[in-house]
Amino acid sequence: ERLQPRALPRDQTPPMDAFNYLTVMVSIVVGLGLTQLLAGIGNFVQIRRRVQFYWLHTCWVVLLIALHLHMWWSLWVLRQVTDWTYGTFAYVLIGPAMLVIASHIVIPELVDGRIDVERHYYDTRTIFFGLLAATGIWAMFLEPVTGVRTFVVPFRILQAIGVSTLVACAITRNKRFHGVATLLVAVLIAVAITLTRYRLGQIDVRI
């Protein structure tokens, strides 16, 4: 006779804490952003003969992938949160959602004929970099809002520099400035990962 699986008694059901439960939705949203970017890269490879590539746009696609990974990695610190509310959860979702929208904007629409990526980059710069700047501001307040630690910590200096740079990119069309700003943001991300996020759950500077 074939044995039928039996459900565990309620008192033996493996527990799921609030962090594991709520981050399922966050992981889905972050995954959507990465899917958007990777699918866009694949589409561009397929129609590469019709695409007029632009090096700054390529850099920002790579940086967006890095930002998605960095955000997901950094959210591990939220396991320290013990008092979750609906408002706190909604706030946590705002950052990943803005990255997903930015990922959709950065990939040009696949239209017939020649695709001018440089033109798309500067035409969408205001909303694209505006979203990234807003995401940076969200990140600055994430730890205070969730109660992980206070707002006044040295890491905020790096975040403030990054946000200011992104705001400037949203305003100006100057190509030289965008080149320097892209390099600066890449350096800031690298410094932030190396000094404050290199190990899972790390939030303090370690040299």
Side-chain angles (χ1 to χ4, degrees):
E1 182 180 357
R2 189 173 181 178
L3 296 177
Q4 298 296 324
R6 294 185 300 172
L8 288 172
R10 295 189 62 179
D11 58 351
Q12 295 182 26
T13 302
M16 174 179 285
D17 58 25
F19 173 76
N20 289 326
Y21 173 71
L22 297 176
T23 51
V24 170
M25 178 64 74
V26 179
S27 65
I28 291 172
V29 176
V30 173
L32 286 173
L34 282 173
T35 301
Q36 187 83 248
L37 293 168
L38 297 176
I41 293 172
N43 290 333
F44 269 26
V45 170
Q46 289 181 322
I47 62 169
R48 58 190 179 279
R49 289 183 175 83
R50 293 198 294 112
V51 179
Q52 184 178 340
F53 291 100
Y54 184 50
W55 71 276
L56 278 177
H57 176 268
T58 302
C59 289
W60 275 105
V61 171
V62 174
L63 287 175
L64 269 178
I65 293 174
L67 286 172
H68 278 80
L69 297 176
H70 181 58
M71 176 180 287
W72 178 240
W73 181 266
S74 300
L75 288 177
W76 177 256
V77 300
L78 297 183
R79 78 193 189 284
Q80 303 175 21
V81 180
T82 57
D83 184 21
W84 284 94
T85 65
Y86 196 91
T88 303
F89 173 61
Y91 184 84
V92 170
L93 279 178
I94 290 174
M98 288 192 291
L99 271 190
V100 171
I101 298 172
S103 299
H104 180 75
I105 292 171
V106 77
I107 302 297
E109 185 179 358
L110 301 182
V111 296
D112 294 333
R114 195 76 173 167
I115 299 175
D116 189 343
V117 177
E118 180 177 355
R119 179 178 180 180
H120 174 82
Y121 175 85
Y122 288 105
D123 284 349
T124 60
R125 77 186 191 285
T126 301
I127 187 168
F128 174 69
F129 287 107
L131 279 168
L132 292 186
T135 305
I137 295 172
W138 165 88
M140 294 177 70
F141 288 94
L142 178 63
E143 292 172 347
V145 167
T146 56
V148 172
R149 60 176 174 173
T150 62
F151 181 82
V152 184
V153 293
F155 184 60
R156 303 287 176 251
I157 298 174
L158 284 179
Q159 291 177 310
I161 295 172
V163 169
S164 301
T165 303
L166 293 169
V167 169
C169 285
I171 296 172
T172 182
R173 290 181 63 100
N174 186 281
K175 295 182 179 180
R176 181 173 297 179
F177 179 85
H178 274 261
V180 174
T182 300
L183 178 60
L184 176 59
V185 171
V187 171
L188 289 174
I189 293 173
V191 170
I193 293 173
T194 304
L195 297 183
T196 68
R197 295 291 190 272
Y198 188 70
R199 296 189 179 279
L200 188 62
Q202 177 186 346
I203 57 175
D204 296 320
V205 176
R206 296 180 188 175
I207 301 176

